[in-house]
Amino acid sequence: MSADRAATIAHYREHGWARLGTIGDSTTIARLRERADAMMLGEVSYPGLFFQHDAASGRYEDLEYGKGWRGPSLQYRKIEKLELDPLFWEWITRDTFREVATAVYPGTDVTLYRAFLMNKHAGGGSDLPWHQDGGDFWGLDQDPTLQIWTALDDAPEDGGCVEVLPGTHRAGLATPLGGVVPRDRLETRDVERELVRLPAVAGEVLLLHNHVWHRSARSRTGQARRALSVCYMDGRTRCRRRKRAPRTFVRVFANVAPAC
Ligand SMILES: O=C(O)CCC(=O)C(=O)O
């Protein structure tokens, strides 16, 4: 691994986030954007895709759950299970990501918890409050620690860029359930002073630790802000749910023993 890449991973370990740089060419990124739109418009579809439409108010609190596909619209907030699509699968399995994921999870297979589009549509989309990605809500026997986030559009400071509270991952989960960080925990920090905004151009990639507090605002640029978020896991992670059959997870990278 190059010294630069090792420094990027060290930054992610210490601060809970890092910039991996701009990966892939503009044609590839444009094709991913077009594919995301084609899915929202119902032109490309796979059994098992999960959709969540945005709330008309742009408020996180007003989002509806369990409604799925509502017909063609570019105002879906989320599409999950993008690994079903060959173009997205090719992106998820890139060698650069293999290098990072196998450094974060050495000596084991790497599996996929989720790969989803987070869309702030041209009308602004909705805000996403401070949260962590893990905890009981995820139903795993250990929390994943690596999310690789790719900007498919420019995400400037006023365009719904990701914001982080560096170092918060080191204290673990704010609540056993995970998800939104409760107000009383936010009040223990000087959030507005400590936060770091991570504007990105299309094709730029960020590493995010699942436990780092992160959020994003609505876009105020009048342009859509589409992004791909992929959560990679230690391949030994198991689903703890018992009421339904436990989930199984697709292997993304095989554990390759180092050459002797
Ligand atoms: O894309 C965003 O605005 C936030 C994404 C996020 O929360 C994540 O990747 O975990």
Side-chain angles (χ1 to χ4, degrees):
M1 177 182 299
S2 70
D4 274 3
R5 183 69 37 83
T8 300
I9 294 173
H11 188 285
Y12 142 85
R13 285 199 172 109
E14 185 178 350
H15 302 285
W17 68 275
R19 288 186 184 275
L20 193 60
T22 301
I23 312 279
D25 55 77
S26 55
T27 310
T28 305
I29 297 296
R31 288 178 75 207
L32 292 172
R33 268 198 307 268
E34 284 160 16
R35 184 57 56 89
D37 282 1
M39 288 178 182
M40 289 193 263
L41 296 174
E43 295 162 1
V44 172
S45 184
Y46 305 95
L49 279 184
F50 164 95
F51 289 87
Q52 184 186 39
H53 203 269
D54 231 325
S57 66
R59 280 164 40 91
Y60 180 80
E61 296 77 7
D62 296 340
L63 288 169
E64 292 185 331
Y65 294 86
K67 296 274 161 77
W69 171 251
R70 284 172 36 167
S73 164
L74 290 177
Q75 301 202 346
Y76 284 98
R77 169 180 180 264
K78 244 186 185 185
I79 310 178
E80 282 195 36
K81 294 205 83 68
L82 292 182
E83 67 271 23
L84 295 170
D85 179 83
L87 268 188
F88 278 103
W89 179 252
E90 209 180 310
W91 185 263
I92 292 164
T93 55
R94 290 182 79 96
D95 280 343
T96 310
F97 303 152
R98 174 198 307 275
E99 194 179 28
V100 173
T102 53
V104 170
Y105 303 120
T108 179
D109 288 349
V110 174
T111 51
L112 182 74
Y113 180 75
R114 65 177 184 182
F116 71 100
L117 179 85
M118 181 60 95
N119 177 37
K120 309 231 185 234
H121 60 76
S126 49
D127 63 292
L128 176 64
W130 289 113
H131 69 281
Q132 298 173 299
D133 292 307
D136 291 347
F137 187 63
W138 281 40
L140 301 171
D141 63 358
Q142 57 177 320
D143 274 350
T145 57
L146 177 65
Q147 308 200 99
I148 301 188
W149 183 95
T150 305
L152 300 183
D153 294 289
D154 291 348
E157 288 209 358
D158 61 348
C161 74
V162 173
E163 301 173 25
V164 293
L165 216 64
T168 39
H169 63 300
R170 291 199 297 268
L173 288 169
T175 65
L177 193 59
V180 174
V181 179
R183 181 191 294 243
D184 61 324
R185 294 304 307 275
L186 289 171
E187 285 171 356
T188 65
R189 313 289 298 236
D190 189 349
V191 170
E192 294 308 317
R193 197 179 59 77
E194 291 177 47
L195 74 82
V196 173
R197 294 192 177 87
L198 301 174
V201 295
E204 210 175 330
V205 176
L206 304 174
L207 307 184
L208 295 173
H209 191 292
N210 286 55
H211 287 173
V212 78
W213 298 5
H214 56 293
R215 73 174 180 185
S216 56
R218 303 185 73 211
S219 171
R220 288 182 279 115
T221 61
Q223 309 288 325
R225 193 236 66 178
R226 286 154 289 195
L228 168 67
S229 180
V230 181
C231 178
Y232 297 90
M233 290 198 302
D234 180 316
R236 293 163 294 198
T237 309
R238 294 288 168 263
C239 174
R240 283 194 284 122
R241 83 178 175 200
R242 292 289 167 264
K243 286 194 181 142
R244 286 182 291 148
R247 285 183 65 185
T248 54
F249 303 100
V250 64
R251 185 172 72 178
V252 192
F253 303 124
N255 174 25
V256 181
C260 306

